[in-house]
Amino acid sequence: MNTTGELTLNMLKEKFQVTEMRVESPNRVWARIAPDKILAIAKFLSNELEFDHLSSIAGADYGEALEAVYQITAYSHGIVLTLKAKVPKSNPVIDSLTPVYWNAAWYEREAYELLGISFRGNPNLAPLVLPAEMMGEYPLRKDYKGYPNPT
Amino acid sequence: MGEVEGAGSETAKVRPIQKIIDAHVTFTTTSAIHDFLKKTPLQDLINWGRKNSLWFLTQPMGCCGIEMICTGAPHYDTDRFGIIPRCSPRQADVMIISGYITKKYMPALKLLWDQMPEPKWVICMGDCSISGGPFWESYSTIINTEKYFPVDIYIPGCPPRPEQLIQGFVELQKKITAKQDRTQKGDT
Amino acid sequence: MNGEIETQINLKPSEMLLHLGPQHPLQPGPFLLDLVLEGETVKDATLEMGFIHKGIEKILENRTYLQCIPITDRMCYLASISNNEVFCSGVESLMGIEPTERAKYIRTIMLELTRIQSHLLGIGEYATDIGFLSMFLWMIREREPIISLLEMVTGARLNHSFVRFGGVAYDLPAGFKEKTLRTLNEIRKKVEKHDEIMSRDSVYLKRTKGVGVLSRKAAMELGVAGPAMRGSGVDYDIRKVDPYLLYPDLDFKVITAPNGDVFDRVKVRLSEILESIYIIEQCIDMIPGGPFKQGYNPYLIKPKPGEVYSRVEDPRGEMGMYIVSDGTFKPYRVKVRGPAFATMQALPPLLKGAYMADNAAIASSMDSCTSEVDR
Ligand code: SF4
């Protein structure tokens, strides 16, 4: 199947009512999605559009809201689809992608401990890189107090 | 019976010397023996032996660790100085802190240090282990190494070249000969 | 820390918990591998990372774009040029500039040299772990000439900080071409010899053939990267899939091997060294003249607001970087997707059911770089 970035976006638009989207270059497309649709979208992408490889999950802190950023791509073509989902800082919960992409597990653990986005359905949401006593400080948030730390 | 008595009289002769030794040293612990040896010229011989077999612990922790591995390998060949890489802390004399110490790794590093038999030395290799280097303001690194380990040699650089590491070992050897290292000064 | 894990895992009377690490003699960086053993067989494996987590992503947010380059070096010090490349190409596309033609050639050559030295060290470490110490010594011996080539251009043995936005830091020195061709010729002969040793030695074959098999389907599902993936027969290489720099015009093969065992993963690395030599030999004759960097003031880089995901093929696989710019002198958010992270994650499922004695071979055949996993 010959997927192009634009085609993918159009399909997403039809099926999931995605509104905000753009084509940045032939190989990079971008879309903002509703956080409760992420699992359905991932299932659709991997089953029907051959987007079978999750490249990374990042989180970002935008003041009042946190954003989960997914880079989904494929082994057969070079299109990287960036999906952004906004979650409120007071209750940052989003569905985990582990049922669709096995390798989401560690990316989600990392985003959880560094930014505090909690992934519902992740089998083991334990700290990965931080020592246990630093859990809950969320160092990558912009209002984190412990940086710089000249001790 | 007579022999025993004779022996007894001999010990009686020896006893004054024994008394003197007893008064000054008690060979009860290893450190007591070491303390005694330190006052004798024998220590120079021991130091000569020690300084020519500085086996170091390979535990790469960062970029400097790669340079440490390379230093032990053919091109730089530290074996010619008696500096041999060891994989187990129980066989090592020198611990090279080769990279960033994090809060999470600190307990493990302490454990490695405690497992090494005396006499032992620490070399800080690279800016990270000396003062934090490029990561000095990070939330997870420890930058005051000397608070935790009695460091003898600091090798600045990011990363130091293998030649510099060898130079560090040479300086350590000089310190051991001059009895100025922290193990011999008791400053640990 | 260890106590916690022991209480979490409920052991049966016939099982035993074995901690491997965090100190590993030759892996470049500490990590803790907990194995639940029943007799000789691994029942369960857990990885604990983060012993050298330095908070690089946070540091990058607080540096100007130029100051970020030396920090990206230190993510994976065995492949510092490809780390520079992924950061700089991301910022370049944010700024809307292209490297100059000469810089493209220099960068490609440097990337391939980095790949060669990283693979040599990776194979060396793996060889020690399976008890083949002489191979380690040979590999380090072969690596030194490559390091001197890199040093000749960049001035540093590791951590080169060589790539700049729209170019490179220095031009190639005089005599680089002749020296490179001579060195590469020697390396090729030696690597071919090592390849022969590694494919004929019966003891080595017994230890590696059919051990730690990662099937094609499993590799794609687990999302491992680089040679570990290509060793399972998947021809996934960012240089072909999403080409950058000169790679669209270059002639090279993606090396794959069919079986997915330890032997194949190492074989792929050895053949990739030869392929990289071939790539460099293509490029080095055609380097055009002209400037080696764009005339930007690197201290005053201020990309447009926006975000970008740039990818390169690191020696260990697909490396990506997600950069958000808010129009100031500092990046707003940088997220690194490291290949070693993806590969390490696949290690516990791979170790399950293996023999204890094979564990070192499997773990080090993945050629991980802890520093990049932790960041
Ligand atoms: S001093 Fe520099 S080279 Fe050494 S570990 Fe630190 S950052 Fe890496």
Side-chain angles (χ1 to χ4, degrees):
Chain A
M1 179 176 172
N2 235 340
T3 335
T4 65
E6 223 166 333
L7 216 65
T8 314
L9 283 185
N10 286 341
M11 283 195 177
L12 282 184
K13 193 174 177 181
E14 262 171 44
K15 280 207 89 149
F16 299 99
Q17 290 85 43
V18 181
T19 47
E20 217 180 314
M21 55 173 82
R22 61 173 180 263
V23 180
E24 288 173 336
S25 70
N27 270 345
R28 298 282 187 278
V29 283
W30 186 99
R32 180 182 297 286
I33 56 170
D36 47 349
K37 294 218 182 100
I38 179 68
L39 198 55
I41 290 181
K43 269 189 188 138
F44 170 73
L45 284 174
S46 80
N47 293 341
E48 305 193 3
L49 293 184
E50 285 187 359
F51 276 91
D52 49 357
H53 174 44
L54 175 75
S55 191
S56 115
I57 297 178
D61 179 7
Y62 285 97
E64 74 293 342
L66 298 172
E67 266 177 21
V69 188
Y70 300 85
Q71 266 92 26
I72 301 178
T73 173
Y75 290 118
S76 48
H77 57 75
I79 299 173
V80 182
L81 172 61
T82 303
L83 298 177
K84 294 193 102 185
K86 212 173 225 166
V87 286
K89 216 173 201 175
S90 48
N91 181 25
V93 183
I94 192 165
D95 278 329
S96 161
L97 283 196
T98 38
V100 188
Y101 302 108
W102 182 87
N103 63 342
W106 272 25
Y107 295 109
E108 291 179 351
R109 280 171 73 177
E110 211 193 359
Y112 170 61
E113 66 188 333
L114 295 180
L115 273 149
I117 304 175
S118 160
F119 292 87
R120 198 187 304 126
N122 187 311
N124 177 20
L125 211 55
L128 179 68
V129 295
L130 285 186
E133 66 268 15
M134 269 187 76
M135 204 45 219
E137 294 182 12
Y138 307 133
L140 280 191
R141 286 196 182 178
K142 291 281 171 187
D143 52 5
Y144 176 61
K145 293 283 180 327
Y147 182 95
N149 174 26
T151 45
Chain B
M1 286 302 272
E3 277 172 47
V4 174
E5 269 174 24
S9 59
E10 230 169 66
T11 43
K13 269 186 218 159
V14 170
R15 199 167 284 148
I17 305 161
Q18 189 72 45
K19 250 186 192 166
I20 296 167
I21 294 177
D22 277 352
H24 289 279
V25 271
T26 38
F27 290 124
T28 47
T29 58
T30 359
S31 62
I33 299 175
H34 280 233
D35 284 343
F36 174 68
L37 284 179
K38 261 182 205 165
K39 292 173 197 137
T40 64
L42 206 56
Q43 183 66 20
D44 290 333
L45 183 69
I46 294 174
N47 278 345
W48 173 81
R50 279 179 183 166
K51 80 165 205 222
N52 284 315
S53 67
L54 292 172
W55 294 7
F56 70 91
L57 173 64
T58 46
Q59 46 117 14
M61 288 155 60
C63 342
C64 293
I66 301 295
E67 291 295 63
M68 182 179 83
I69 292 179
C70 292
T71 316
H75 194 81
Y76 291 97
D77 191 17
T78 48
D79 289 19
R80 62 205 157 124
F81 304 111
I83 302 165
I84 301 175
R86 303 309 297 178
C87 295
S88 161
R90 304 203 190 266
Q91 303 165 346
D93 307 307
V94 182
M95 182 163 84
I96 302 179
I97 303 182
S98 57
Y100 6 81
I101 310 173
T102 60
K103 287 177 188 158
K104 193 168 179 177
Y105 194 44
M106 193 68 199
L109 199 60
K110 248 335 220 194
L111 193 65
L112 285 175
W113 173 243
D114 290 341
Q115 281 176 344
M116 284 168 54
E118 291 265 358
K120 50 192 176 182
W121 298 273
V122 191
I123 292 183
C124 267
M125 182 185 185
D127 289 352
C128 278
S129 50
I130 297 173
S131 63
F135 308 109
W136 65 275
E137 39 181 17
S138 167
Y139 49 83
S140 73
T141 51
I142 284 173
I143 61 179
N144 42 359
T145 317
E146 69 282 358
K147 214 171 114 186
Y148 302 92
F149 300 105
V151 186
D152 267 310
I153 302 287
Y154 293 96
I155 307 172
C158 187
R161 298 179 57 87
E163 290 93 337
Q164 271 173 291
L165 181 57
I166 295 175
Q167 178 67 27
F169 273 111
V170 172
E171 295 294 329
L172 182 59
Q173 289 180 339
K174 281 186 198 156
K175 261 187 145 178
I176 292 172
T177 323
K179 300 184 187 168
Q180 286 302 310
D181 59 303
R182 291 176 76 162
T183 320
Q184 289 189 53
K185 285 203 297 190
D187 175 19
T188 49
Chain C
M1 165 177 71
N2 299 348
E4 253 169 54
I5 290 168
E6 258 156 70
T7 47
Q8 276 168 18
I9 301 173
N10 292 322
L11 292 177
K12 287 202 218 94
S14 62
E15 292 173 348
M16 167 187 143
L17 184 66
L18 185 73
H19 295 302
L20 282 184
Q23 177 240 4
H24 292 260
L26 277 159
Q27 290 293 328
F31 60 90
L32 176 61
L33 188 57
D34 284 314
L35 299 173
V36 177
L37 299 175
E38 182 165 7
E40 279 279 292
T41 328
V42 178
K43 282 263 129 152
D44 200 0
T46 334
L47 259 178
E48 196 177 336
M49 308 299 302
F51 290 99
I52 47 175
H53 173 71
K54 313 171 279 291
I56 281 194
E57 288 171 10
K58 186 81 183 175
I59 296 176
L60 289 181
E61 286 172 18
N62 291 281
R63 294 275 190 279
T64 64
Y65 284 94
L66 187 65
Q67 287 171 340
C68 284
I69 295 178
I71 306 282
T72 56
D73 270 347
R74 284 150 182 83
M75 265 167 356
C76 177
Y77 27 80
L78 287 174
S80 41
I81 298 216
S82 46
N83 295 356
N84 291 169
E85 173 65 35
V86 66
F87 180 72
C88 291
S89 61
V91 176
E92 274 162 11
S93 60
L94 277 175
M95 292 164 64
I97 59 171
E98 277 260 308
T100 60
E101 208 46 34
R102 186 177 172 83
K104 276 187 188 171
Y105 276 85
I106 300 178
R107 270 152 82 158
T108 311
I109 291 171
M110 285 295 159
L111 280 171
E112 293 305 322
L113 281 178
T114 310
R115 191 181 320 277
I116 296 174
Q117 61 92 4
S118 165
H119 279 345
L120 285 174
L121 190 73
I123 297 168
E125 275 161 7
Y126 152 82
T128 341
D129 283 0
I130 61 165
F132 196 172
L133 189 67
S134 23
M135 185 57 86
F136 168 73
L137 299 178
W138 289 334
M139 286 297 170
I140 297 283
R141 189 190 64 195
E142 264 61 295
R143 185 173 169 262
E144 282 303 327
I146 304 277
I147 293 284
S148 7
L149 277 181
L150 285 167
E151 194 186 350
M152 189 177 171
V153 183
T154 65
R157 285 171 53 89
L158 292 175
N159 298 344
H160 312 288
S161 306
F162 181 61
V163 183
R164 293 287 185 277
F165 312 113
V168 290
Y170 316 107
D171 207 348
L172 293 179
F176 176 76
K177 183 177 153 190
E178 293 72 37
K179 195 172 173 202
T180 311
L181 289 176
R182 203 169 53 236
T183 315
L184 291 183
N185 247 334
E186 273 165 30
I187 304 267
R188 174 184 288 127
K189 272 187 222 132
K190 282 174 180 162
V191 168
E192 271 163 1
K193 207 171 101 204
H194 297 326
D195 196 6
E196 198 188 315
I197 294 173
M198 280 195 162
S199 44
R200 283 227 304 239
D201 187 283
S202 60
V203 178
Y204 176 76
L205 289 182
K206 275 226 169 91
R207 270 218 74 180
T208 55
K209 278 258 181 199
V211 171
V213 177
L214 186 64
S215 68
R216 185 187 152 90
K217 190 161 167 289
M220 285 166 90
E221 230 164 67
L222 299 184
V224 295
M229 181 105 185
R230 295 193 281 273
S232 301
V234 188
D235 56 343
Y236 183 59
D237 190 323
I238 304 292
R239 291 178 290 176
K240 285 275 188 214
V241 173
D242 191 0
Y244 52 98
L245 294 181
L246 290 180
Y247 291 111
D249 312 329
L250 286 175
D251 165 40
F252 66 100
K253 293 198 294 285
V254 177
I255 310 280
T256 54
N259 301 325
D261 51 9
V262 169
F263 179 83
D264 274 7
R265 287 196 276 274
V266 178
K267 181 92 182 162
V268 166
R269 281 197 193 99
L270 275 170
S271 320
E272 271 184 13
I273 295 176
L274 298 178
E275 202 64 26
S276 293
I277 294 177
Y278 177 56
I279 294 178
I280 298 174
E281 285 174 348
Q282 281 176 53
C283 297
I284 205 155
D285 280 334
M286 303 190 296
I287 303 181
F292 60 91
K293 61 178 166 194
Q294 301 268 31
Y296 284 88
N297 184 351
Y299 301 100
L300 296 175
I301 295 245
K302 210 171 168 186
K304 292 190 283 295
E307 51 198 71
V308 69
Y309 187 67
S310 65
R311 296 198 289 176
V312 300
E313 181 74 18
D314 189 85
R316 286 171 184 69
E318 171 195 356
M319 170 151 218
M321 206 182 242
Y322 171 68
I323 306 169
V324 184
S325 150
D326 59 350
T328 55
F329 289 110
K330 296 173 182 173
Y332 186 78
R333 171 86 172 95
V334 181
K335 156 82 191 169
V336 185
R337 184 259 187 228
F341 190 91
T343 311
M344 269 310 229
Q345 189 180 3
L347 193 55
L350 190 58
L351 285 178
K352 248 176 239 175
Y355 283 119
M356 177 55 213
D358 293 337
N359 163 13
I362 299 173
S364 54
S365 74
M366 295 304 232
D367 188 13
S368 66
C369 173
T370 322
S371 174
E372 188 214 76
V373 182
D374 295 348
R375 273 169 276 125

